[in-house]
Amino acid sequence: MVGDMAADTSQKVLFEQDGVFIHSNSNDDCIEQDLLVSGSIRIIDKDGEVLVEYRPLEDSVDPSNMLCAGKDSSSVMEWGQSAEERPHQGLETQHSYETEWDMVNAVSFKKKTFSNGDGALNHSHERNRWAFTFSVSDLHTITVKVDSWSSLFFKLKEASVSLPILYFHQGGITEFLDSLRRCALLSESPEDESCLLVSTANKVLSQSFENLQDDNNYGLVNKLKKDPYVTTLGGFSKVTNYLYDAFRGAEEQRQRPPEEVADLLGEVIPGLEINHQEEPGFEVITRIDLGVRPEVQRGEPLSTEQWAEHQDAEGRILNVPHLKQVIFKGGLCHMLRKDVWKFLLGYFPWDSTLEERKAVTRAKTDEYFRMKLQWKSVSEEQERRNSRLRDNRSLIEKDVNRTDRTNRFYEGIDNPGLVLLHDILMTYCMYDFDLGYVQGMSDLLSPLLFVMENEVEAFWCFVPFMDQMHQNFEEQMQGMKTQLVQLSSLLRLLDLNFWNYLESQDSGFLYFCFRWLLIRFKRELSFPDVLRLWEVMWTGLPCQNLHLLICCAILDSEKQKIMEENYGFNEILKHVNELSMKLDIEEILRKAEAICLQIKGCKDLPHSVSDILGFNTDEDTAEAPRSEVMEPGKRSHSPSPSPTHREQAFSNGHGHLRESSQNGCKVSFVS
């Protein structure tokens, strides 16, 4: 059914594109400006129903909900509130050192006139009549034309309803169709190659893997091999369902040979080598007794009073280990995050004075805007000859438009918060030419900008965070390979029976945890819970690689259901995927800390596990785990386990040894 769509808090924006026009008098060769209807097109998931919506330009969000940049392009303030309604901290227009850099200010805004502020349709009837919404399930065909203006024509199953042709003046047709393919099957019409037939729901799910693979342009396997990041972030479990069906074939109960699983994972994660050779003479080693898991309690967030008590007269932070312990146990009250995160991430040294921090801010502001000026000053002619810059800009623009759009800070069209997100990511490409931009980085930046409300500060907090996460996004994905191997080692140590069960269901490689590790649970938790988890992890307590124990804690809570329900490959993937937004962060942190203490108390702990968690097993040099503060720009990676350490094997009684070697760490296990 076609109609206007009111705002709905339960809806999720899957795709959004501005610069989409209706040519109200398209018969004329010369199209005048006043004959064009400008608007945006969106794909929306509303209560499980996927809708396509077109809104003319004035059909924008309520301006009182908008956030806009201050004059200095780096602070963000409420647009529709009076001064007394506005929170005082960080939201006032800042008259700072950064105003000297207005020449590279990318954010400008004008307050539009609206007859009311409730987000309703206020434009004229002439514009209002062009707005429409329809369900994808009602869509019959899409005709794609590539002429002077690329266009789409939607034909619904109900023949009596006619929709106008949409012209994509700024491009985006390919991205729109790619997004639509996540919800429906688009297949080329035999009679007309420009016409796509649309199938939805059960029809899509019933398609065989072979048919999908035959689609050379959009085969899921090709997508997975070409870009595992995009495929994973877009819905990894859906892809692996097709992969699983492809290997199973007609024999539903046939167990897939482990060699085939290894080959598949080797394609998804290049360089991950698994050796399945049998070693009949290998002696089985019994499992390790970890003892009783202790009970731990969480604490209260660090208060403003406690934070003030930890500063001397010149602003130095005192008793940092105790401060980190309080933050680890309870996190921070939101009012403190803007200040404390800068120390946790290494933007400011803990022992710096207030005056020293002001000097750092001035120097970092200059450095940031010099880098920003580099890409802002590139002409169109230059950019035509710089494919790397074009590719980065295109990918950033695409990702920014779909990052946290349900969050008030980023919602709506022409949101200034999105401009700042875009500018920071583009400037990071100038900071790290080798890496540039990779999908997923916008997910890591978004909470930082939300908390800092300042372009420069968000950037310099993003830099050390990316130093920690850098290997996750490198072309060879070395960070992801290492973490998956390490996580497998920890899970086998904690619960060999559960790991053996996963292994029996072709899930022992734990690749359903890929997204968890890639962007640190950003898509698994609510936005406030992400803030809490990240600040706890940044303390470096109670061990290194706490995020791996977070994974173990989540799986520990779900293992009983998985095993009792006898979940297979598909069911495990589906179940893990559906945990998103249903996790209790405080319970997870409590369990992760308890697991850490349980492992640390083990007397016969394998050296490989000690290395993963940063425990020193030599009594004469043992010390409490400590957190190192990195200076922005200095990259730090978890130390690779030493190849001289003895190898530890775990058995399920079958005696088939398999090994995976990563960075000198040989992990042996029995299947």
Side-chain angles (χ1 to χ4, degrees):
M1 183 176 117
V2 179
D4 297 336
M5 183 172 141
D8 193 310
T9 56
S10 64
Q11 72 184 27
K12 179 180 180 182
V13 178
L14 307 178
F15 173 85
E16 186 169 12
Q17 174 69 41
D18 298 328
V20 180
F21 288 76
I22 294 175
H23 297 178
S24 57
N25 188 7
S26 58
N27 292 328
D28 296 343
D29 292 332
C30 180
I31 299 174
E32 298 177 5
Q33 183 66 32
D34 60 349
L35 296 179
L36 298 179
V37 179
S38 173
S40 65
I41 190 169
R42 300 199 299 174
I43 301 176
I44 302 169
D45 185 339
K46 183 180 179 184
D47 298 327
E49 182 180 14
V50 179
L51 306 173
V52 174
E53 174 192 70
Y54 178 79
R55 288 186 179 184
L57 185 61
E58 287 85 355
D59 205 0
S60 57
V61 299
D62 178 3
S64 66
N65 287 337
M66 293 290 288
L67 292 158
C68 62
K71 184 186 176 191
D72 63 2
S73 171
S74 62
S75 61
V76 177
M77 59 185 179
E78 294 271 5
W79 190 356
Q81 294 181 336
S82 62
E84 58 269 17
E85 291 174 322
R86 215 177 280 140
H88 294 292
Q89 182 168 349
L91 292 179
E92 66 275 4
T93 303
Q94 301 180 6
H95 299 285
S96 70
Y97 183 72
E98 298 158 20
T99 57
E100 299 175 16
W101 284 97
D102 277 343
M103 69 184 74
V104 292
N105 180 7
V107 180
S108 60
F109 59 92
K110 295 185 293 184
K111 197 166 184 178
K112 297 181 181 179
T113 302
F114 288 82
S115 60
N116 62 53
D118 60 1
L121 304 178
N122 300 321
H123 46 66
S124 66
H125 175 72
E126 176 64 21
R127 292 277 178 164
N128 185 49
R129 69 190 181 94
W130 297 112
F132 61 82
T133 303
F134 60 83
S135 173
V136 173
S137 61
D138 295 330
L139 185 57
H140 179 50
T141 62
I142 305 174
T143 301
V144 183
K145 297 290 186 183
V146 183
D147 298 316
S148 55
W149 299 112
S150 297
S151 65
L152 293 180
F153 174 63
F154 301 106
K155 183 176 181 181
L156 303 184
K157 295 175 182 176
E158 187 177 344
S160 61
V161 178
S162 178
L163 298 176
I165 299 174
L166 299 183
Y167 294 84
F168 287 66
H169 286 200
Q170 299 176 13
I173 282 184
T174 301
E175 291 78 6
F176 172 83
L177 294 176
D178 284 347
S179 296
L180 197 60
R181 284 186 175 90
R182 299 173 186 169
C183 320
L185 176 66
L186 307 184
S187 54
E188 189 176 296
S189 170
E191 293 82 17
D192 183 359
E193 63 180 13
S194 67
C195 181
L196 299 175
L197 305 177
V198 182
S199 304
T200 57
N202 294 335
K203 203 167 183 181
V204 173
L205 297 178
S206 65
Q207 292 294 319
S208 69
F209 179 82
E210 290 78 9
N211 289 339
L212 288 173
Q213 194 174 21
D214 287 340
D215 183 351
N216 294 325
N217 293 324
Y218 304 103
L220 287 172
V221 171
N222 292 334
K223 281 187 176 184
L224 192 62
K225 293 178 181 178
K226 181 179 179 181
D227 197 338
Y229 291 105
V230 176
T231 310
T232 300
L233 293 173
F236 192 67
S237 61
K238 182 178 178 181
V239 176
T240 45
N241 285 343
Y242 288 119
L243 295 174
Y244 183 60
D245 293 337
F247 279 109
R248 294 185 71 175
E251 301 178 34
E252 278 299 310
Q253 302 303 322
R254 179 178 67 87
Q255 184 173 7
R256 191 170 356 146
E259 293 81 2
E260 293 185 3
V261 183
D263 291 342
L264 168 62
L265 289 181
E267 293 173 344
V268 177
I269 308 177
L272 183 62
E273 299 176 357
I274 308 295
N275 180 3
H276 294 281
Q277 283 189 328
E278 296 186 8
E279 306 233 2
F282 185 80
E283 183 176 357
V284 173
I285 299 178
T286 58
R287 69 187 68 201
I288 295 175
D289 182 11
L290 293 176
V292 179
R293 184 173 299 170
E295 291 289 334
V296 298
Q297 298 297 325
R298 298 284 297 157
E300 295 296 322
L302 182 75
S303 66
T304 54
E305 293 79 11
Q306 289 173 299
W307 175 243
E309 291 170 358
H310 282 78
Q311 300 179 50
D312 67 13
E314 294 184 318
R316 296 183 185 86
I317 310 303
L318 307 174
N319 200 356
V320 174
H322 175 262
L323 194 63
K324 288 183 179 180
Q325 183 65 29
V326 175
I327 298 171
F328 168 72
K329 279 292 190 178
L332 297 161
C333 67
H334 187 69
M335 189 181 303
L336 288 177
R337 285 184 170 129
K338 184 172 183 178
D339 292 328
V340 182
W341 279 20
K342 297 171 191 174
F343 292 94
L344 289 173
L345 286 166
Y347 177 41
F348 289 149
W350 292 96
D351 59 355
S352 61
T353 65
L354 184 60
E355 290 304 315
E356 288 171 341
R357 294 197 286 273
K358 288 180 180 178
V360 168
T361 299
R362 286 193 295 270
K364 290 299 183 184
T365 300
D366 273 344
E367 187 176 355
Y368 173 79
F369 281 110
R370 275 195 294 270
M371 290 187 291
K372 183 174 181 178
L373 187 59
Q374 290 173 2
W375 65 266
K376 292 284 289 182
S377 60
V378 173
S379 68
E380 292 184 6
E381 286 295 323
Q382 288 176 299
E383 189 163 335
R384 286 196 190 100
R385 295 185 291 273
N386 190 333
S387 60
R388 184 73 181 272
L389 181 62
R390 287 199 313 271
D391 291 345
N392 282 330
R393 187 193 297 272
S394 175
L395 191 53
I396 288 171
E397 289 174 352
K398 185 186 304 182
D399 281 1
V400 162
N401 282 327
R402 56 193 180 195
T403 299
D404 291 325
R405 297 307 302 275
T406 58
N407 186 306
R408 189 167 183 258
F409 194 90
Y410 298 109
E411 70 182 359
I413 302 171
D414 297 329
N415 186 304
L418 298 179
V419 178
L420 296 181
L421 202 63
H422 169 274
D423 287 3
I424 294 171
L425 292 170
M426 284 295 296
T427 305
Y428 186 81
C429 293
M430 299 294 103
Y431 176 83
D432 191 336
F433 285 96
D434 290 337
L435 182 63
Y437 179 80
V438 180
Q439 185 175 23
M441 289 166 59
S442 62
D443 278 286
L444 299 183
L445 173 61
S446 169
L448 296 174
L449 180 57
F450 173 83
V451 167
M452 295 300 153
E453 298 176 315
N454 180 291
E455 182 178 5
V456 175
E457 292 175 350
F459 175 84
W460 288 113
C461 287
F462 182 60
V463 166
F465 192 22
M466 277 303 301
D467 288 343
Q468 298 175 30
M469 304 292 292
H470 199 277
Q471 283 191 316
N472 283 15
F473 297 97
E474 291 170 358
E475 186 175 359
Q476 296 303 314
M477 302 165 68
Q478 188 58 51
M480 296 305 301
K481 303 172 198 174
T482 302
Q483 289 172 88
L484 286 170
V485 171
Q486 291 174 336
L487 179 57
S488 183
S489 299
L490 292 173
L491 194 60
R492 288 197 306 275
L493 175 70
L494 289 168
D495 194 327
L496 186 58
N497 287 335
F498 179 51
W499 185 86
N500 284 335
Y501 177 83
L502 293 176
E503 177 73 0
S504 71
Q505 302 300 325
D506 296 330
S507 300
F509 297 101
L510 308 177
Y511 46 87
F512 50 80
C513 299
F514 191 97
R515 189 173 67 184
W516 296 1
L517 301 172
L518 180 66
I519 51 176
R520 289 297 189 269
F521 310 94
K522 170 64 167 50
R523 306 240 182 133
E524 319 312 317
L525 301 169
S526 66
F527 205 84
D529 284 352
V530 170
L531 306 184
R532 174 57 45 80
L533 174 64
W534 286 7
E535 65 199 13
V536 167
M537 291 196 299
W538 291 335
T539 66
L541 301 175
C543 62
Q544 70 182 26
N545 286 320
L546 175 63
H547 64 287
L548 298 179
L549 296 184
I550 298 290
C551 295
C552 292
I554 297 173
L555 294 174
D556 186 76
S557 298
E558 302 301 322
K559 65 182 181 182
Q560 183 175 354
K561 183 176 182 62
I562 290 174
M563 296 175 72
E564 286 183 353
E565 299 290 334
N566 198 28
Y567 282 172
F569 183 91
N570 281 347
E571 291 82 8
I572 293 172
L573 289 165
K574 182 174 183 291
H575 179 71
V576 170
N577 198 55
E578 290 175 349
L579 293 177
S580 178
M581 302 302 157
K582 299 177 183 177
L583 299 170
D584 183 342
I585 186 58
E586 291 299 323
E587 176 59 31
I588 291 170
L589 287 170
R590 187 182 300 112
K591 182 170 287 190
E593 182 184 0
I595 291 173
C596 176
L597 296 175
Q598 181 186 24
I599 294 176
K600 190 176 181 182
C602 178
K603 295 180 180 179
D604 300 318
L605 194 64
H607 282 77
S608 59
V609 174
S610 295
D611 287 334
I612 292 170
L613 300 179
F615 298 153
N616 192 331
T617 55
D618 297 327
E619 294 182 3
D620 56 342
T621 59
E623 60 181 39
R626 57 191 176 90
S627 174
E628 295 182 359
V629 178
M630 295 177 298
E631 292 296 326
K634 290 186 179 180
R635 201 155 287 141
S636 173
H637 304 301
S638 300
S640 301
S642 170
T644 61
H645 289 156
R646 63 184 174 89
E647 295 143 15
Q648 182 72 30
F650 302 90
S651 169
N652 66 356
H654 295 292
H656 293 172
L657 178 67
R658 298 192 288 150
E659 299 176 347
S660 177
S661 180
Q662 296 294 336
N663 285 349
C665 173
K666 178 178 284 188
V667 179
S668 304
F669 54 97
V670 179
S671 65

